Amino acid sequence: MIEVICNDRLGKKVRVKCEPNDTIGDFKRLVAAQIGTSAEKIVLKKWYNTFKDHITLADYEISNGTSLEMYYS
């Protein structure tokens, strides 16, 4: 179990507990449940890398305490 931080820089900063083998799509659904928005509208980035829904957190080397940027489309 790891904890990942998502920040939209507009006042919402959430800590989400998940498994390293969860996909980005699964992770977006966990974030959406906490902030009350649709998972399809969430875009996760780290610097200039936009994360794709079918790849796991471990493949992107996202570990405990990693901070991700959250945008809305």
Side-chain angles (χ1 to χ4, degrees):
M1 185 72 73
I2 62 172
E3 186 176 69
V4 181
I5 303 162
C6 291
N7 190 357
D8 69 354
R9 312 237 185 250
L10 296 171
K12 286 187 184 170
K13 186 174 184 181
V14 294
R15 294 176 178 264
V16 181
K17 293 193 183 283
C18 58
E19 294 292 329
N21 58 356
D22 288 345
T23 63
I24 295 292
D26 296 337
F27 182 72
K28 282 184 185 179
R29 286 189 277 285
L30 292 172
V31 172
Q34 282 196 9
I35 64 174
T37 187
S38 173
E40 291 81 27
K41 293 185 177 185
I42 296 173
V43 178
L44 296 174
K45 293 185 179 183
K46 180 76 171 185
W47 290 92
Y48 294 106
N49 295 333
T50 302
F51 298 127
K52 297 185 169 118
D53 287 350
H54 65 281
I55 300 176
T56 64
L57 297 173
D59 289 340
Y60 278 122
E61 298 179 359
I62 296 172
S63 59
N64 194 26
T66 301
S67 181
L68 301 177
E69 301 162 9
M70 184 169 46
Y71 297 94
Y72 306 106
S73 61

